[in-house]
């Protein structure tokens, strides 16, 4: 398939995740990147042949059928409603922003009005498909544990909860609900929101966050019980070199989400 007949995709953000997504799209014959939405003054690393939009209306004018959000919670708050009202689907990296109940409500209303959908990728997690099936079969409890190196928690609320520089062994510094975790750690806990949305919701999903000075990778574990039985998943993910807070799988999960929109046989 030629790029002229490929699925037109827009992108919000061109940071560590957005850059990987853009580079991956360039290698896909049946997906084409029509433009990227950026804050003023932040287009210095964008290829010269890629159109840059300053707002949602300008991005919609470039004709995307789906937009990939890779700009953080602020980007989702700023642009998601207008894009959904414009009728495009929105593939979301900053899933944790949906822990804001008011934002979730506004996005649902915008999607209903415009016909777009909010698409949630698995991110760095495994087993979300099984967890979603268990929700229908019968699900009693869901627990998520996230474990990352100290440098991954720098610049987050973790610094006020534990001395990251003094930790010598794995330590838990947060326990609470998925809603509390997603809102308190927007750079680190987007996977928590994905677990909540697939399973029991933000209030009933329990979360434990850990700092581990012995581990360079990001670890994500999910344990669920119910009438369906028991499931567990554990992923040890290498981090993006440009952002240790983010697992390498995160941008490629977005690429997989795009492929599911164009593949004849989608898994």
């Amino acid at each position: 398939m030629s790029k002229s007949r490929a699925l037109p995709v827009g992108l919000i953000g061109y940071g560590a995740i957005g850059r990987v997504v853009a580079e991956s799209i360039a290698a896909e014959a049946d997906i084409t990147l029509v433009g990227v939405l950026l804050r003023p003054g932040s287009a210095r690393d964008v290829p010269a042949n890629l159109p840059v939009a300053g707002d949602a209306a300008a991005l919609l004018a470039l004709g995307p059928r789906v937009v990939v959000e890779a700009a953080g919670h602020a980007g989702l708050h700023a642009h998601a409603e207008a894009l959904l009202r414009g009728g495009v689907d929105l593939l979301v990296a900053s899933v944790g922003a949906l822990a804001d109940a008011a934002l979730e409500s506004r996005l649902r209303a915008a999607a209903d009005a415009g016909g777009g959908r909010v698409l949630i990728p698995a991110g760095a997690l495994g087993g979300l498909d099984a967890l979603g099936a268990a929700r229908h079969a019968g699900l009693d409890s869901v627990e998520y544990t996230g474990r990352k190196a100290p440098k991954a928690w720098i610049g987050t609320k973790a610094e006020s909860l534990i001395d990251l520089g003094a930790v010598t062994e794995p330590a838990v510094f947060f326990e609470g609900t998925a809603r509390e975790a997603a809102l308190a750690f927007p750079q680190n806990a987007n996977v928590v929101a994905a677990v909540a949305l697939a399973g029991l919701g933000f209030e009933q999903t329990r979360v434990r966050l850990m700092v581990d000075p012995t581990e360079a990778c990001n670890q994500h574990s999910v344990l669920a019980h119910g009438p369906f039985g028991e499931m567990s998943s554990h992923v040890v993910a290498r981090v993006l070199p440009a952002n240790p807070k983010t697992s390498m799988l995160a941008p490629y999960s977005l690429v997989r989400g795009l492929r599911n929109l164009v593949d004849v046989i989608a898994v």
Side-chain angles (χ1 to χ4, degrees):
M1 178 184 292
S2 68
K3 279 287 189 179
S4 63
R5 298 176 57 194
L7 174 71
V9 173
L11 178 63
I12 309 175
Y14 204 79
I17 292 178
R19 189 173 295 107
V20 173
V21 172
E23 292 170 352
S24 297
I25 289 175
E28 301 286 342
D30 46 6
I31 305 173
T32 187
L33 187 59
V34 298
V36 58
L37 195 167
L38 296 174
R39 297 188 309 272
S42 60
R44 59 186 180 277
D45 296 326
V46 176
N49 63 343
L50 181 60
V52 175
D55 56 31
L59 185 62
L60 286 171
L62 296 171
R65 283 174 47 198
V66 59
V67 171
V68 178
E69 175 277 314
H73 289 208
L76 198 65
H77 276 272
H79 306 297
E81 288 179 77
L83 292 169
L84 291 169
R85 289 186 185 278
V88 302
D89 290 342
L90 190 61
L91 181 59
V92 175
S94 303
V95 187
L98 297 178
D100 182 332
L103 175 64
E104 181 184 358
S105 178
R106 293 198 304 272
L107 295 192
R108 288 183 180 276
D112 286 342
R117 297 179 300 159
V118 178
L119 307 176
I120 306 298
L125 290 171
L128 279 192
D129 50 352
L131 183 61
R135 179 176 181 174
H136 296 286
L139 192 56
D140 292 333
S141 66
V142 179
E143 300 176 6
Y144 166 86
T145 300
R147 182 188 299 233
K148 298 183 179 183
K151 65 179 180 181
W153 298 110
I154 292 173
T156 76
K157 186 178 179 179
E159 291 181 312
S160 67
L161 301 175
I162 192 169
D163 186 347
L164 296 175
V167 174
T168 58
E169 60 185 23
V172 176
F173 64 84
F174 172 88
E175 292 187 87
T177 68
R179 191 179 305 280
E180 292 167 337
L183 294 177
F185 300 92
Q187 295 174 293
N188 295 77
N190 286 305
V191 291
V192 170
V195 171
L197 290 166
L200 285 177
F202 284 101
E203 302 301 339
Q204 295 186 64
T205 302
R206 302 301 302 175
V207 173
R208 180 183 301 107
L209 300 179
M210 303 179 63
V211 57
D212 186 350
T214 70
E215 179 59 70
C217 296
N218 294 343
Q219 297 190 39
H220 307 279
S221 300
V222 179
L223 179 63
H225 297 86
F228 78 94
E230 176 181 314
M231 67 155 282
S232 64
S233 69
H234 183 71
V235 175
V236 179
R238 294 187 184 278
V239 302
L240 279 176
N243 184 358
K245 294 179 174 62
T246 301
S247 298
M248 189 176 293
L249 284 175
Y252 294 105
S253 177
L254 294 167
V255 176
R256 179 68 252 171
L258 292 174
R259 288 248 41 104
N260 280 343
L261 298 176
V262 298
D263 284 346
V264 174
I265 299 176
V267 179

